PDB file of all heavy atoms in Angstrom:
ATOM      1  N   ASN S 221      71.704  96.923 128.990  1.00  0.00           N
ATOM      2  CA  ASN S 221      72.416  96.103 128.081  1.00  0.00           C
ATOM      3  C   ASN S 221      71.472  95.325 127.139  1.00  0.00           C
ATOM      4  O   ASN S 221      70.456  94.827 127.603  1.00  0.00           O
ATOM      5  CB  ASN S 221      73.257  95.080 128.842  1.00  0.00           C
ATOM      6  CG  ASN S 221      74.716  95.578 129.011  1.00  0.00           C
ATOM      7  OD1 ASN S 221      75.241  96.256 128.166  1.00  0.00           O
ATOM      8  ND2 ASN S 221      75.250  95.273 130.177  1.00  0.00           N
ATOM      9  N   GLY S 222      71.817  95.279 125.878  1.00  0.00           N
ATOM     10  CA  GLY S 222      70.949  94.590 124.946  1.00  0.00           C
ATOM     11  C   GLY S 222      69.806  95.393 124.434  1.00  0.00           C
ATOM     12  O   GLY S 222      68.994  94.957 123.659  1.00  0.00           O
ATOM     13  N   GLY S 224      69.915  97.763 122.334  1.00  0.00           N
ATOM     14  CA  GLY S 224      70.100  98.106 120.913  1.00  0.00           C
ATOM     15  C   GLY S 224      70.881  99.322 120.647  1.00  0.00           C
ATOM     16  O   GLY S 224      70.924  99.838 119.494  1.00  0.00           O
ATOM     17  N   LYS S 225      71.596  99.839 121.634  1.00  0.00           N
ATOM     18  CA  LYS S 225      72.361 101.109 121.461  1.00  0.00           C
ATOM     19  C   LYS S 225      73.484 100.958 120.481  1.00  0.00           C
ATOM     20  O   LYS S 225      73.619 101.723 119.556  1.00  0.00           O
ATOM     21  CB  LYS S 225      72.882 101.574 122.838  1.00  0.00           C
ATOM     22  CG  LYS S 225      71.812 101.678 123.929  1.00  0.00           C
ATOM     23  CD  LYS S 225      72.364 102.137 125.254  1.00  0.00           C
ATOM     24  CE  LYS S 225      73.406 101.244 125.882  1.00  0.00           C
ATOM     25  NZ  LYS S 225      72.885  99.903 126.314  1.00  0.00           N
ATOM     26  N   THR S 226      74.286  99.933 120.647  1.00  0.00           N
ATOM     27  CA  THR S 226      75.404  99.645 119.786  1.00  0.00           C
ATOM     28  C   THR S 226      74.939  99.344 118.356  1.00  0.00           C
ATOM     29  O   THR S 226      75.494  99.823 117.357  1.00  0.00           O
ATOM     30  CB  THR S 226      76.275  98.509 120.290  1.00  0.00           C
ATOM     31  OG1 THR S 226      76.788  98.916 121.585  1.00  0.00           O
ATOM     32  CG2 THR S 226      77.410  98.225 119.361  1.00  0.00           C
ATOM     33  N   THR S 227      73.831  98.567 118.299  1.00  0.00           N
ATOM     34  CA  THR S 227      73.257  98.299 116.994  1.00  0.00           C
ATOM     35  C   THR S 227      72.822  99.556 116.299  1.00  0.00           C
ATOM     36  O   THR S 227      72.969  99.693 115.087  1.00  0.00           O
ATOM     37  CB  THR S 227      72.065  97.312 117.146  1.00  0.00           C
ATOM     38  OG1 THR S 227      72.528  96.139 117.803  1.00  0.00           O
ATOM     39  CG2 THR S 227      71.503  96.911 115.772  1.00  0.00           C
ATOM     40  N   GLN S 268      82.690  99.961 121.368  1.00  0.00           N
ATOM     41  CA  GLN S 268      82.512  99.665 122.823  1.00  0.00           C
ATOM     42  C   GLN S 268      83.750  99.002 123.388  1.00  0.00           C
ATOM     43  O   GLN S 268      84.167  99.354 124.468  1.00  0.00           O
ATOM     44  CB  GLN S 268      81.312  98.691 122.919  1.00  0.00           C
ATOM     45  CG  GLN S 268      80.860  98.483 124.335  1.00  0.00           C
ATOM     46  CD  GLN S 268      79.468  97.861 124.449  1.00  0.00           C
ATOM     47  OE1 GLN S 268      78.757  97.768 123.454  1.00  0.00           O
ATOM     48  NE2 GLN S 268      79.161  97.345 125.548  1.00  0.00           N
ATOM     49  N   ASP S 353      80.803 105.039 121.717  1.00  0.00           N
ATOM     50  CA  ASP S 353      80.114 103.931 122.344  1.00  0.00           C
ATOM     51  C   ASP S 353      80.782 103.570 123.654  1.00  0.00           C
ATOM     52  O   ASP S 353      81.830 102.966 123.728  1.00  0.00           O
ATOM     53  CB  ASP S 353      80.167 102.729 121.408  1.00  0.00           C
ATOM     54  CG  ASP S 353      79.122 101.629 121.760  1.00  0.00           C
ATOM     55  OD1 ASP S 353      78.613 101.727 122.920  1.00  0.00           O
ATOM     56  OD2 ASP S 353      78.925 100.724 120.942  1.00  0.00           O
ATOM     57  N   GLU S 354      80.128 104.037 124.718  1.00  0.00           N
ATOM     58  CA  GLU S 354      80.607 103.817 126.111  1.00  0.00           C
ATOM     59  C   GLU S 354      82.062 104.106 126.306  1.00  0.00           C
ATOM     60  O   GLU S 354      82.848 103.248 126.704  1.00  0.00           O
ATOM     61  CB  GLU S 354      80.310 102.375 126.541  1.00  0.00           C
ATOM     62  CG  GLU S 354      78.805 102.013 126.399  1.00  0.00           C
ATOM     63  CD  GLU S 354      78.430 100.792 127.312  1.00  0.00           C
ATOM     64  OE1 GLU S 354      79.080 100.624 128.367  1.00  0.00           O
ATOM     65  OE2 GLU S 354      77.483 100.140 126.951  1.00  0.00           O
ATOM     66  N   ILE S 383      76.896 107.025 123.878  1.00  0.00           N
ATOM     67  CA  ILE S 383      76.242 105.918 124.585  1.00  0.00           C
ATOM     68  C   ILE S 383      76.958 105.774 125.945  1.00  0.00           C
ATOM     69  O   ILE S 383      78.141 105.693 125.983  1.00  0.00           O
ATOM     70  CB  ILE S 383      76.345 104.595 123.836  1.00  0.00           C
ATOM     71  CG1 ILE S 383      75.603 104.657 122.524  1.00  0.00           C
ATOM     72  CG2 ILE S 383      75.846 103.447 124.690  1.00  0.00           C
ATOM     73  CD1 ILE S 383      75.713 103.369 121.693  1.00  0.00           C
TER      74      ILE S 383
ATOM     75  N   LYS K 346      79.590  91.907 128.089  1.00  0.00           N
ATOM     76  CA  LYS K 346      78.509  91.973 127.073  1.00  0.00           C
ATOM     77  C   LYS K 346      78.953  92.782 125.888  1.00  0.00           C
ATOM     78  O   LYS K 346      79.498  93.841 126.025  1.00  0.00           O
ATOM     79  CB  LYS K 346      77.322  92.625 127.742  1.00  0.00           C
ATOM     80  CG  LYS K 346      76.101  92.656 126.847  1.00  0.00           C
ATOM     81  CD  LYS K 346      75.494  91.317 126.677  1.00  0.00           C
ATOM     82  CE  LYS K 346      74.127  91.370 125.928  1.00  0.00           C
ATOM     83  NZ  LYS K 346      74.237  92.037 124.659  1.00  0.00           N
ATOM     84  N   GLU K 347      78.824  92.231 124.752  1.00  0.00           N
ATOM     85  CA  GLU K 347      79.461  92.872 123.598  1.00  0.00           C
ATOM     86  C   GLU K 347      78.632  92.684 122.342  1.00  0.00           C
ATOM     87  O   GLU K 347      78.386  91.543 121.888  1.00  0.00           O
ATOM     88  CB  GLU K 347      80.853  92.252 123.388  1.00  0.00           C
ATOM     89  CG  GLU K 347      81.671  92.841 122.299  1.00  0.00           C
ATOM     90  CD  GLU K 347      81.655  94.353 122.482  1.00  0.00           C
ATOM     91  OE1 GLU K 347      82.367  94.838 123.404  1.00  0.00           O
ATOM     92  OE2 GLU K 347      81.006  94.987 121.693  1.00  0.00           O
ATOM     93  N   GLY K 348      78.178  93.740 121.760  1.00  0.00           N
ATOM     94  CA  GLY K 348      77.434  93.610 120.507  1.00  0.00           C
ATOM     95  C   GLY K 348      78.268  93.987 119.305  1.00  0.00           C
ATOM     96  O   GLY K 348      77.767  94.018 118.191  1.00  0.00           O
ATOM     97  N   ASN K 349      79.514  94.336 119.558  1.00  0.00           N
ATOM     98  CA  ASN K 349      80.360  94.804 118.490  1.00  0.00           C
ATOM     99  C   ASN K 349      80.879  93.764 117.515  1.00  0.00           C
ATOM    100  O   ASN K 349      81.132  94.044 116.380  1.00  0.00           O
ATOM    101  CB  ASN K 349      81.528  95.575 119.062  1.00  0.00           C
ATOM    102  CG  ASN K 349      81.196  96.991 119.270  1.00  0.00           C
ATOM    103  OD1 ASN K 349      80.280  97.540 118.628  1.00  0.00           O
ATOM    104  ND2 ASN K 349      81.882  97.643 120.153  1.00  0.00           N
TER     105      ASN K 349
HETATM  106 MG1   MG P 668      76.576  98.186 123.446  1.00  0.00          MG
END
Side-chain angles (χ1 to χ4, degrees):
Chain S
N221 265 325
K225 307 181 297 293
T226 298
T227 304
Q268 191 167 344
D353 197 346
E354 303 202 29
I383 294 178
Chain K
K346 184 71 171 57
E347 185 50 72
N349 270 338

